[in-house]
Amino acid sequence: MFSCIARPAVHLSRSFSTSVQSNARVAVLGASGGIGQPLSLLLKNSPLVSQLSLFDIAHTPGVAADLSHIETRAHVTGHLGPDQLGECLKGCEVVVIPAGVPRKPGMTRDDLFTTNATIVANLADACARHCPEAMICVIANPVNSTIPITSEVLKKHGVYNPNRVFGVTTLDIVRANTFVGELKGLDPARVNVPVIGGHAGKTIIPLISQCAPKVDFPQDQLAALTSRIQEAGTEVVKAKAGAGSATLSMAYAGARFVFSLLDAMNGKEGVVECSFVRSEETECAYFSTPLLLGKNGIEKNLGLGKLSPFEEKLVAEAMSELKGSIKKGEDFVKNMK
Ligand SMILES: NC(=O)c1ccc[n+]([C@@H]2O[C@H](COP(=O)([O-])OP(=O)(O)OC[C@H]3O[C@@H](n4cnc5c(N)ncnc54)[C@H](O)[C@@H]3O)[C@@H](O)[C@H]2O)c1
């Protein structure tokens, strides 16, 4: 009688690969938070993941028990507090870090530095000790500083591989695709706007001139669209009115990035995502550009491509803020006891 209960085919389109099976061991650090919970749900739902290790300083036993009842094969474990961090990370191939405080109205991402720098540095330190070869995907803000922090901590341990450390900026791409799709009446799942630079205000640089399919906007509309993409996080922070920043769209974006990475690690060819990484493409030591991903992380940095004069100006205007945020992160680790 119950022989054909239809399981909904979870079809999240784009690069949410659901058909291929693999055995990735993925850890989420900050798994009980606003991003961590829905991100863990999406990861649990993926046939690419066989082990999902959840760490937080609160509530992980409950989150893990809850997720473990879902009828997918990923084995879920919950780890609570610093004493259980090593056990969480052991054997993990991909570590995603959404741990840290989010913005409240009126705050910039840089206002989070004091709290989140220490959190990310400690988590990176644990990665260096327990899974030094893992791909590390940092969501915690300010990404423009937390990636230099992660890199410097890994360097201190002598295990830094710049091809394996990623600042997750995918939400900027997701937003750009959505807004362009809305304005042009296109299915956003078929729009692809590269977003380069960093992940804060004017360092977020959407390359509308490189959008696929090609789209054109009058200059005033282009300027307004660019500002909306740059300030889209603040749009959510204001709408949530003190209850945090983007969580659901960020979970989607984080999962999209992790699935792309896992696909590439499994040998899929032609996987490209933008991410804030160590870079030699500009005078900034870290910069986001489209990256060809492969079995060992970044296979090739695809660079900035041809920019319009408007985009060139945006890049020039972002440089000093970006360099300052990078230096702040590097100095933080240098001065750590
Ligand atoms: N990269 C992006 O595009 C993007 C987008 C949105 C938010 N964010 C950032 O992501 C971070 C998390 O946001 P959120 O909304 O999920 O916040 P949240 O407060 O809802 O969740 C954060 C979680 O981190 C946990 N945590 C705190 N210290 C920890 C530690 N030392 N080890 C492990 N876990 C710890 C907390 O217990 C909490 O469960 C923030 O820094 C936010 O600014 C980034």
Side-chain angles (χ1 to χ4, degrees):
M1 196 198 295
F2 297 111
S3 60
C4 62
I5 296 172
R7 285 232 216 157
V10 178
H11 195 73
L12 294 160
S13 83
R14 203 183 278 279
S15 47
F16 269 58
S17 166
T18 51
S19 54
V20 184
Q21 186 165 312
S22 80
N23 289 312
R25 284 162 294 180
V26 179
V28 180
L29 312 184
S32 309
I35 296 167
Q37 291 204 38
L39 173 62
S40 301
L41 172 63
L42 293 170
L43 294 172
K44 169 66 176 137
N45 204 32
S46 168
L48 294 172
V49 180
S50 62
Q51 167 67 40
L52 187 57
S53 307
L54 308 179
F55 174 78
D56 203 298
I57 51 168
H59 310 309
T60 20
V63 175
D66 192 354
L67 285 176
S68 73
H69 290 182
I70 293 174
E71 54 181 350
T72 56
R73 77 194 174 102
H75 178 242
V76 183
T77 53
H79 309 265
L80 186 66
D83 291 350
Q84 297 183 10
L85 181 53
E87 182 195 321
C88 168
L89 291 172
K90 214 154 270 168
C92 284
E93 289 139 345
V94 175
V95 179
V96 197
I97 308 184
V101 291
R103 284 191 288 162
K104 290 197 160 41
M107 288 172 90
T108 67
R109 291 177 180 85
D110 190 54
D111 293 334
L112 304 173
F113 186 94
T114 317
T115 313
N116 290 356
T118 308
I119 293 174
V120 171
N122 288 336
L123 295 175
D125 183 87
C127 291
R129 291 172 199 275
H130 301 286
C131 54
E133 298 196 348
M135 307 284 176
I136 303 179
C137 310
V138 182
I139 292 172
N141 273 317
V143 168
N144 293 354
S145 301
T146 54
I147 286 302
I149 288 173
T150 303
S151 305
E152 290 301 314
V153 169
L154 295 173
K155 274 187 212 169
K156 274 195 172 174
H157 286 270
V159 296
Y160 178 49
N161 181 341
N163 294 328
R164 289 172 178 258
V165 179
F166 302 93
V168 181
T169 60
T170 321
L171 184 53
D172 301 321
I173 291 89
V174 165
R175 286 167 169 157
N177 294 343
T178 303
F179 300 162
V180 168
E182 279 169 3
L183 288 170
K184 291 293 180 189
L186 297 166
D187 175 357
R190 297 189 186 282
V191 176
N192 192 8
V193 180
V195 181
I196 64 167
H199 176 68
K202 67 179 184 191
T203 71
I204 298 170
I205 303 162
L207 302 182
I208 307 293
S209 74
Q210 294 181 22
C211 176
K214 191 163 172 31
V215 289
D216 280 312
F217 293 99
Q219 185 55 37
D220 57 339
Q221 214 182 349
L222 177 67
L225 171 63
T226 300
S227 308
R228 184 170 181 216
I229 295 165
Q230 292 175 325
E231 293 304 322
T234 306
E235 207 177 282
V236 179
V237 170
K238 277 190 189 150
K240 290 200 173 178
S245 59
T247 53
L248 302 173
S249 51
M250 182 59 240
Y252 167 89
R256 169 181 151 171
F257 185 79
V258 171
F259 295 153
S260 288
L261 192 55
L262 292 177
D263 276 341
M265 289 163 72
N266 290 332
K268 185 171 171 184
E269 291 189 359
V271 180
V272 174
E273 289 285 355
C274 295
S275 176
F276 186 69
V277 296
R278 181 90 202 169
S279 171
E280 287 171 4
E281 300 301 315
T282 68
E283 66 214 60
C284 272
Y286 297 84
F287 203 84
S288 178
T289 43
L291 309 167
L292 179 65
L293 300 173
K295 288 190 173 163
N296 297 307
I298 302 172
E299 197 158 289
K300 190 174 180 213
N301 193 320
L302 301 178
L304 286 71
K306 188 170 163 20
L307 306 186
S308 69
F310 175 67
E311 292 159 357
E312 273 174 8
K313 191 162 164 275
L314 295 176
V315 171
E317 285 169 0
M319 283 298 175
S320 104
E321 179 181 332
L322 205 41
K323 281 184 194 163
S325 302
I326 292 167
K327 184 166 183 321
K328 192 169 174 184
E330 290 176 338
D331 287 349
F332 176 80
V333 179
K334 270 185 208 136
N335 297 328
M336 260 169 69
K337 301 224 170 71

